[in-house]
């Protein structure tokens, strides 16, 4: 008898706990009327003026000692990994000893109108197929 009471208490507790959950997740395998509404994608707004950003803060992409010349930039694209924008930047740079290193290409991430991150581009990156304009 005691065992049945414990089972009833456990089932009742589980039912009350699940009742407080409300609607199921958007991807849950339940009927549509039980699912929560999918969140709206964030709005991106207007693309940033990447040329202006680079003119103001070129040192956030290239080290000043590398003396970047012939700086070129691609069109900004929505960032697929999060909010914000991405663009590709190319420039001719030199080493600290003054030896030419050739063209260096970086992918920059722009968030809230600021260059938030930069990453050196690998050979398989999409920056190789972008069209570039001088800054």
């Amino acid at each position: 008898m005691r065992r049945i009471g414990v089972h009833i208490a456990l089932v009742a507790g589980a039912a009350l706990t699940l009742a407080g959950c409300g609607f199921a997740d958007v991807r849950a395998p339940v009927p549509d009327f039980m699912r929560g509404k999918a969140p709206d994608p964030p709005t991106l707004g207007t693309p940033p003026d990447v040329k202006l950003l680079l003119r103001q803060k070129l040192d956030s992409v290239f080290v000043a000692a590398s003396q970047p010349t012939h700086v070129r930039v691609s069109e900004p694209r929505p960032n697929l990994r999060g909010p914000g924008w991405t663009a590709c930047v190319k420039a001719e740079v030199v080493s600290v000893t003054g030896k030419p290193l050739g063209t260096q290409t970086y992918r920059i991430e722009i968030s809230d109108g600021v260059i938030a991150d930069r990453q050196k581009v690998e050979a398989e990156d999409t920056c190789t197929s972008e069209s570039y304009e001088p800054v």
Side-chain angles (χ1 to χ4, degrees):
M1 185 73 173
R2 185 172 179 197
R3 189 179 213 184
I4 293 173
V6 171
H7 283 262
I8 290 173
L10 287 174
V11 170
L16 287 174
T17 303
L18 291 176
C21 290
F23 287 99
D25 185 70
V26 175
R27 296 171 298 277
V30 295
D32 288 340
F33 73 91
M34 295 178 75
R35 290 188 189 144
K37 182 180 176 266
D40 294 330
T43 57
L44 287 174
T46 58
D49 186 355
V50 183
K51 291 180 182 180
L52 178 63
L53 285 172
L54 287 173
R55 281 189 217 112
Q56 294 174 345
K57 296 290 284 179
L58 188 61
D59 60 339
S60 64
V61 180
F62 298 101
V63 179
S66 67
Q67 302 169 7
T69 58
H70 298 80
V71 180
R72 302 169 305 277
V73 66
S74 69
E75 288 288 321
R77 309 242 185 256
N79 190 351
L80 299 176
R81 295 181 213 141
W85 298 84
T86 63
C88 301
V89 182
K90 284 184 176 185
E92 304 294 325
V93 295
V94 297
S95 69
V96 282
T97 61
K99 180 181 174 186
L101 293 175
T103 303
Q104 298 290 314
T105 307
Y106 290 94
R107 176 177 300 281
I108 59 172
E109 293 184 15
I110 303 164
S111 181
D112 296 325
V114 178
I115 298 173
D117 189 24
R118 72 170 176 107
Q119 296 175 355
K120 189 162 174 136
V121 171
E122 301 296 327
E124 65 275 356
D125 198 282
T126 58
C127 284
T128 57
S129 62
E130 291 282 341
S131 59
Y132 292 85
E133 297 178 4
V135 172

